[in-house]
């Protein structure tokens, strides 16, 4: 579904990615883990074509480096939930979910509300009145109405209390069960291990290595390496 090979990326003259390679098969979830500033968000931006890159980015087997973001997203059915959720603060919950959606596709709202029933009674409220967890649900609902094949998720648990994070990951599990392919950025390695199929450690703009989430020894090694670089990257194992 998605393959990055020796990808480099820049913000103006500042190089943020030096060598990122990863592979994500359809229906699977790959979690990018690593310290603050390692390049996880930048990797998502590179996949979306939001910043200049070099190296190979293949989506559904097709070279995508030259495709503009809008075309990339449309052609390959990509939806993204960005860090900070990217909601439009002046709009209602309903407007946030359907923004950009053609009117004849509004019935997809029902599908999204099946997944996030807590939003049903809040549709007409300003999105800012919702709790952080509910706002994250709005951001996810907005992605779901796109009926994506590939979902890019940047730190869905950021700033949320542990109980709410459990709830959000419960919703994400339902999305996974539907066969959606996911590229997830998650600072909490234990959480990433419990949710994803594979973990890819990003360090100083490089993909250090990828391990299967069910390989305990490999995940421990990855944690040690991440931990040795920055203690904040590590959360205690449950
Ligand atoms: P975090 O968890 O803190 O978001 P991250 O792993 O997602 O960390 P990135 O946000 O991808 O890290 O940042 C990678 C590098 O790129 C960092 O050195 C960061 O300072 C730099 N960077 C990020 N955004 C910009 C920007 N808009 N302009 C210049 N440099 C940037």
């Amino acid at each position: 579904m998605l393959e990055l090979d020796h990808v480099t990326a820049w913000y103006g003259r500042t190089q943020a990615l030096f060598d990122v390679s990863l592979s994500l098969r359809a229906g699977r979830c790959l979690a990018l883990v690593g310290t603050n500033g390692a390049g996880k968000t930048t990797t998502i931006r590179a996949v979306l074509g939001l910043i200049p890159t070099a190296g190979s980015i293949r989506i559904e087997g097709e070279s995508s480096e030259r495709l503009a973001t809008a075309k990339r997203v449309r052609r390959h059915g990509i939806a993204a939930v960005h860090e900070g959720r990217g909601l439009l603060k002046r709009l209602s919950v309903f407007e946030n979910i359907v923004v950009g959606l053609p009117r004849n596709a509004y019935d997809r709202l029902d599908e999204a509300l099946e997944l996030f029933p807590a939003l049903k009674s809040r549709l007409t409220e300003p999105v800012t009145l919702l709790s952080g967890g509910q706002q994250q649900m709005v951001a996810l609902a907005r992605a779901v109405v796109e009926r994506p094949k590939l979902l890019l998720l940047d730190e869905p648990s950021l700033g949320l209390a542990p109980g709410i994070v459990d709830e959000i990951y419960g919703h994400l599990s339902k999305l996974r069960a539907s066969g959606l392919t996911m590229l997830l950025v998650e600072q909490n390695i234990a959480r990433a291990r419990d949710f994803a199929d594979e973990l890819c450690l990003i360090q100083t703009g490089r993909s250090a290595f990828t391990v299967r989430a069910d390989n305990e020894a490999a995940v421990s090694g990855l944690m040690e390496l991440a931990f040795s670089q920055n203690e904040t990257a590590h959360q205690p194992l449950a």
Side-chain angles (χ1 to χ4, degrees), residues 11-12 14-17 34-43 45 83 154-155 158 185 187 202 205:
Y11 292 102
T14 308
Q15 187 165 0
L17 297 186
T35 57
N36 289 117
K40 305 179 297 296
T41 296
T42 306
T43 301
R45 289 193 186 132
E83 195 175 333
D154 198 348
E155 304 229 28
L158 196 70
V185 170
Q187 281 258 346
I202 306 287

Side-chain angles (χ1 to χ4, degrees), residues 1 60 73-74 76-81 108 111 115 140-152 175 178-182:
M1 175 86 201
E60 297 186 296
V73 163
R74 222 176 305 124
H76 299 294
I78 304 173
V81 177
R108 295 186 200 168
E111 293 168 24
L115 282 165
L140 287 168
R142 180 168 152 191
V144 166
V145 294
E146 300 289 342
R147 291 186 177 157
K149 287 189 269 181
L150 171 63
L151 180 61
L152 310 177
L175 284 176
S178 72
L180 187 57
T181 312
M182 289 188 192

Side-chain angles (χ1 to χ4, degrees), residues 31-35 38 40 184-190 192-193 198-203 209 222 226 233:
L32 304 179
V33 298
T35 57
K40 305 179 297 296
L184 166 74
V185 170
E186 176 55 68
Q187 281 258 346
N188 184 325
I189 297 177
R193 174 205 60 192
E198 291 184 310
L199 313 185
C200 175
L201 178 64
I202 306 287
Q203 287 187 311
F209 59 93
L222 179 146

Side-chain angles (χ1 to χ4, degrees), residues 118-163:
L119 299 180
K120 276 184 191 169
S121 59
R122 315 291 305 267
L123 289 174
T124 56
E125 292 182 43
V127 75
T128 45
L129 290 188
L130 271 58
S131 66
Q134 287 166 336
Q135 290 190 17
Q136 187 61 263
M137 288 180 210
V138 174
L140 287 168
R142 180 168 152 191
V144 166
V145 294
E146 300 289 342
R147 291 186 177 157
K149 287 189 269 181
L150 171 63
L151 180 61
L152 310 177
L153 273 172
D154 198 348
E155 304 229 28
S157 59
L158 196 70
L160 301 178

